[in-house]
Amino acid sequence: MIASKIPATVITGFLGAGKTTLIRNLLENAGGRRIALIINEFGDLGVDGDLLKGCGIETCSEDDVVELTNGCICCTVADDFLPAMAKLLARPGKLDHIVIETSGLALPQPLVAAFNWPEVKARVTVDGVITVIDAAAVAAGRFADDEAGIAAQRAADESLDHDNPLEELFEDQIRAADLVVLNKSDLVDAQAMEAVRAAVAAAAGDRPVKAILASGGKLPADVLLGLGSATEDHIAARRSHHEIEHEGGEMHDHDDFESFVADGGAVADPLAFAEALKTLIGRHDILRLKGFAAVPGKPMRLVVQAVGGRVETYFDRPWRESEARATRLVVIGLHDGLDEVAIAREIAALTLKPETAAA
């Protein structure tokens, strides 16, 4: 790594893997480093960026956080990522590190390749690509079909599983990685974890990738930062499925996924609300749900994070005077698989009407 360059870490991973929690823990234990963030959301509600802006960490102010909510960062490199980098690099004072959280649907390869653009390459290098894996989900087969069977089929014929975008995305994010974090390891027993490791190794292919365990996204900063990989120099050899299959120049898109924001009033009982969301998620086959809710009598904002059948809620910070105390949730699922009207109506029905939701 060239000493004068600012190191950047790209953190990628599937929906609900725990990327935001990992970053928040990193910021809280940054050892005095001044870290800037670029947060890329899927959908138009900046949940992850707002969570990180509100963390109150001295070495990462709100001015050091840039949110991109206009689409997948791998599809909008020229329009979104490069201007965001220029904005950060133009700021006064020295940055010690840049952390980029991609959306759960992003391909890391185009983003890392963008670090070879002359105006970026002269000042920034990719310290490493870190892929966060929900070990419990993978162990349960939530984001893959028969993994052993798929690995065998791919070894014989790579065209056999092109109709499984979640499996391809899982593999593409691992192929790009310098380090894989097997998060939520506390939810997985030793035998299941061996199967998760085998799935990660199979996805990585011929290039071995180091994998480490984490619970709640808690890892020392020195483990995540300082990898010195200069990944932009090697990313061309870590091709995604899209690059392999569409080298003729076809545009990558995410027509397999869609998202929308569901609004509602305040939540009277957070525990009952979480249980009701579990039922709703299962009934509508929702992949990911995240956002905020207001609870009458509580000055703090309730964070709602759900993936599969797991729903987590916690209070993160007081509501600001400028914020409407209500419920706003991003719902993400497969294209043509979401009944937006029905889901929005059901979420609203789980909350209080405005006249009864006074804080």
Side-chain angles (χ1 to χ4, degrees):
M1 183 186 300
I2 299 175
S4 61
K5 291 187 178 183
I6 301 170
T9 296
V10 176
I11 298 182
T12 188
F14 210 84
L15 303 169
K19 300 185 298 295
T20 301
T21 303
L22 181 90
I23 294 172
R24 185 163 183 166
N25 288 328
L26 171 62
L27 296 177
E28 289 174 345
N29 299 278
R33 298 176 180 88
R34 186 187 177 195
I35 299 177
L37 302 176
I38 296 178
I39 308 297
N40 179 215
E41 281 286 354
F42 184 74
D44 59 2
L45 176 61
V47 175
D48 293 349
D50 200 19
L51 281 173
L52 292 167
K53 284 182 179 179
C55 66
I57 298 168
E58 182 179 354
T59 54
C60 179
S61 69
E62 290 199 17
D63 290 338
D64 292 328
V65 180
V66 177
E67 287 184 85
L68 307 178
T69 61
N70 296 323
C72 171
I73 197 170
C74 66
C75 304
T76 58
V77 167
D79 294 336
D80 292 320
F81 170 66
L82 293 176
M85 286 294 293
K87 177 181 177 181
L88 288 179
L89 295 175
R91 285 180 50 77
K94 180 181 180 298
L95 288 174
D96 296 309
H97 212 100
I98 298 171
V99 172
I100 302 165
E101 180 192 4
T102 72
S103 80
L105 305 176
L107 295 172
Q109 286 86 348
L111 172 60
V112 175
F115 281 84
N116 286 306
W117 289 50
E119 59 266 42
V120 176
K121 191 174 182 65
R123 298 188 60 186
V124 184
T125 183
V126 181
D127 183 57
V129 175
I130 297 175
T131 297
V132 184
I133 299 296
D134 183 336
V138 174
R142 174 59 181 165
F143 300 123
D145 298 329
D146 177 359
E147 293 173 354
I150 287 175
Q153 289 174 343
R154 178 165 290 127
D157 185 345
E158 292 184 3
S159 69
L160 292 179
D161 63 350
H162 292 339
D163 61 347
N164 190 340
L166 301 184
E167 173 69 13
E168 291 185 4
L169 181 58
F170 177 81
E171 293 197 354
D172 289 341
Q173 292 177 343
I174 291 174
R175 287 180 181 180
D178 298 293
L179 177 68
V180 173
V181 175
L182 303 178
N183 197 28
K184 307 182 185 179
S185 61
D186 55 313
L187 304 178
V188 181
D189 62 30
Q191 182 177 359
M193 185 58 75
E194 285 304 310
V196 173
R197 287 185 179 275
V200 170
D206 296 334
R207 184 179 65 89
V209 178
K210 182 179 180 180
I212 58 175
L213 303 183
S215 175
K218 294 180 179 179
L219 287 169
D222 290 341
V223 171
L224 300 173
L225 307 183
L227 301 181
S229 300
T231 315
E232 69 274 18
D233 294 335
H234 313 292
I235 197 63
R238 305 180 190 179
R239 294 187 300 168
S240 67
H241 280 277
H242 170 74
E243 291 169 315
I244 293 170
E245 297 160 15
H246 302 290
E247 291 180 334
E250 180 181 333
M251 290 295 292
H252 161 70
D253 59 42
H254 288 309
D255 288 342
D256 294 305
F257 305 93
E258 62 178 294
S259 74
F260 66 92
V261 177
D263 294 294
V267 173
D269 184 340
L271 291 178
F273 184 64
E275 288 300 317
L277 287 179
K278 289 181 184 179
T279 302
L280 184 148
I281 288 168
R283 184 165 58 250
H284 292 281
D285 197 24
I286 295 169
L287 291 177
R288 184 80 163 92
L289 188 150
K290 56 183 179 177
F292 311 102
V295 179
K298 297 286 187 181
M300 305 287 284
R301 185 179 63 172
L302 183 72
V303 177
V304 180
Q305 299 269 18
V307 58
R310 296 196 304 276
V311 179
E312 299 177 355
T313 61
Y314 60 91
F315 293 99
D316 72 328
R317 64 162 174 79
W319 290 94
R320 299 187 177 109
E321 291 185 4
S322 60
E323 294 176 322
R325 298 195 180 192
T327 295
R328 299 204 76 203
L329 300 176
V330 175
V331 181
I332 304 172
L334 294 177
H335 183 61
D336 293 332
L338 293 180
D339 187 336
E340 180 175 341
V341 173
I343 294 170
R345 182 174 60 245
E346 291 180 37
I347 289 176
L350 298 175
T351 67
L352 301 172
K353 295 181 179 180
E355 60 268 20
T356 63

